[in-house]
Amino acid sequence: MPLPKEELYTTDDIYGLPEGLRAELIDGRIYYMAPPTRKHQRLTGTLYRIIGNYIDANHGSCEVDIAPFAVFLNKDDSNYVEPDISVICDPEKLNDKGCEGAPDWVIEVVSPGSRQMDYLIKLIKYQSAGVREYWLVDPDKNRITVYNFAQNEQNEYSFADTVPVGIYPDFSIDFSQISF
């Protein structure tokens, strides 16, 4: 007897979800998302402001976006993610729907319900899609894991450290100054 075929989904299925239900799509598989906690939102919002202020102060050409913001990683209809923070430096990738292709820098604030997704599934997907830098900010583990895919480096930091930003050589974020 043949095994049942796994149903694959598309971005049409994501856009067809009931109002208020959020999900991401990776290689045709739907991953539902739990609502973020207050701590998650405060940390994400603070990082968004720090990055946006840096870009504005330096008259940068990159754009920072905060979830929910659609990223069509492979420019296809079987991959759709909503990173907590996306920094896109190529304006050609941006349209009214979101970002077509890989952002330059992605930050995911890890929650208990997103741990496996952020540390495994998205890590592989972001690297293969061409994201240059991926940060996993994990408040429960007091850890920031930085993957600089462009330099083939991985570094670990704590919330007492100042973390350098790979795509901006003169920018770092002092996590000891962040309260959430």
Side-chain angles (χ1 to χ4, degrees), residues 60-63 87-96 98-100 104:
S61 60
C62 299
E63 176 175 308
V87 177
I88 300 102
C89 299
D90 179 357
E92 295 294 316
K93 290 183 178 181
L94 297 167
N95 60 36
D96 286 341
C99 177
E100 295 281 343
D104 293 270

Side-chain angles (χ1 to χ4, degrees), residues 85-154:
I85 298 173
S86 303
V87 177
I88 300 102
C89 299
D90 179 357
E92 295 294 316
K93 290 183 178 181
L94 297 167
N95 60 36
D96 286 341
K97 282 188 162 186
C99 177
E100 295 281 343
D104 293 270
W105 178 19
V106 169
I107 298 175
E108 293 287 4
V109 176
V110 180
S111 300
S114 72
R115 190 166 302 286
Q116 180 178 0
M117 184 75 163
D118 294 337
Y119 276 100
L120 298 172
I121 297 168
K122 284 186 176 180
L123 170 66
I124 294 165
K125 196 64 187 176
Y126 288 149
Q127 183 177 23
S128 66
V131 170
R132 292 170 41 201
E133 187 166 355
Y134 177 41
W135 288 22
L136 287 153
V137 178
D138 194 332
D140 291 341
K141 293 190 175 195
N142 187 36
R143 180 174 63 205
I144 301 100
T145 306
V146 175
Y147 293 93
N148 186 328
F149 298 132
Q151 301 296 321
N152 200 27
E153 293 177 355
Q154 175 189 343

